[in-house]
Amino acid sequence: MVQTGLVAHGVAPGPPVKIGDVRDLKVQLAMAGFMFTAVLLYWNVRGAILIGIAAIAGAGYWLGVGAAPEAIVAWPGDYRLEAVALQLDIAGVLKLDFLTILLTLFLISFLDTLATIYALGSAAGMLDDKGNLADVEKPMLVDSLSCMFSALVGTSTSGAFIESAAGIREGARTGLAAIVTGLCFAAALFFMPLFKPLQDLSFAYGPALMIVGVMMFGALRHLDTHDLTELVPALVTIVMMVFTFNIANGLTAGLIVHPALKLLCGKWRQVHPGSALLAAMCLTYYVFGCLH
């Protein structure tokens, strides 16, 4: 209705996502980085994504669109956590006014982690014939404990991230990879001057994130395209994620549509009670307008 009115008055709304200025050197570097990394992956080059980031970042420095590091090594700054660690107000949160907020945070954290773990499990070839991940409770428990610990000490939320697909492709299959990654992050504290300029080089690391998304497309082969009760919820999930720029919005929409469509199509036997409960919880996410 709003869009029709705008068009009637000669004001057509623009698309939510627009093509960037392809004459911009940064855009050109990003496109080159995407193609370069894809070629490296095709030829199974070890460390292809990291090489792609480094190559485009170096090209950016050489072409004058990126700031070179001022130093390489520096002693870590003041990272004490006394001001935020264990500064909790649990009683203040346990109020009816905070119920929708807590429910939203729970759904976002739970669904985001669950989707990430299954996507990474698919990338690692760890799903069975039915698309299930064995002992999924274990990584979920680890993620939950990690999230709670980070909240207690006052740091940003810790958890599973889809970028781990890059490490999986390089051969990471066990917890040893996570330990090595953690040690590398600890060592990076002493090389902050070297890494700090990379934060502004979106044209260098942006293509890597796009490549990680491409690597996730392999999971679509498990989708039964002949069953609309499976295809439609999957499409709703993908579309909602893309157009709202939020994973939780897509997952909650898909989890609502899936059991509802099964019931309406007479396939109620395929609806697990847990799925129905989760759908009801996701519905509150929309009823109370907690979208992100």
Side-chain angles (χ1 to χ4, degrees), residues 93-113:
V93 175
L94 297 179
K95 298 178 181 178
L96 187 60
D97 295 341
F98 284 92
L99 179 60
T100 57
I101 298 176
L102 293 175
L103 180 61
T104 301
L105 292 175
F106 165 74
L107 285 175
I108 291 175
S109 179
F110 175 76
L111 296 177
D112 193 1
T113 300

Side-chain angles (χ1 to χ4, degrees), residues 80-246:
R80 290 178 297 178
L81 299 174
E82 287 89 343
V84 290
L86 300 177
Q87 302 299 314
L88 307 175
D89 184 15
I90 298 178
V93 175
L94 297 179
K95 298 178 181 178
L96 187 60
D97 295 341
F98 284 92
L99 179 60
T100 57
I101 298 176
L102 293 175
L103 180 61
T104 301
L105 292 175
F106 165 74
L107 285 175
I108 291 175
S109 179
F110 175 76
L111 296 177
D112 193 1
T113 300
L114 186 63
T116 299
I117 289 176
Y118 267 93
L120 295 177
S122 176
M126 300 174 64
L127 301 184
D128 59 22
D129 296 336
K130 297 182 179 180
N132 296 321
L133 181 64
D135 296 326
V136 67
E137 299 85 359
K138 293 181 180 179
M140 290 292 292
L141 178 60
V142 172
D143 186 272
S144 300
L145 294 175
S146 176
C147 186
M148 292 170 60
F149 176 78
S150 62
L152 289 174
V153 298
T155 68
S156 57
T157 304
S158 176
F161 288 89
I162 203 67
E163 289 81 359
S164 298
I168 290 175
R169 190 192 178 281
E170 297 299 329
R173 291 293 188 278
T174 67
L176 180 61
I179 295 175
V180 173
T181 302
L183 293 175
C184 288
F185 269 107
L189 292 174
F190 298 90
F191 296 92
M192 288 304 295
L194 177 63
F195 298 124
K196 188 175 181 179
L198 291 175
Q199 299 179 25
D200 300 322
L201 302 183
S202 57
F203 59 85
Y205 61 77
L209 297 177
M210 295 167 60
I211 288 293
V212 170
V214 172
M215 295 166 62
M216 293 293 98
F217 265 83
L220 294 178
R221 68 180 182 273
H222 299 294
L223 185 62
D224 185 2
T225 57
H226 300 288
D227 186 353
L228 287 179
T229 62
E230 297 290 338
L231 182 60
V232 171
L235 180 62
V236 169
T237 300
I238 295 172
V239 169
M240 285 289 288
M241 284 184 185
V242 172
F243 289 104
T244 66
F245 302 99
N246 189 278

Side-chain angles (χ1 to χ4, degrees), residues 30-55:
M31 292 188 295
F34 180 76
M35 295 296 292
F36 177 60
T37 307
V39 171
L40 292 179
L41 287 172
Y42 176 80
W43 292 110
N44 294 317
V45 176
R46 279 282 187 177
I49 295 180
L50 186 59
I51 293 173
I53 295 175

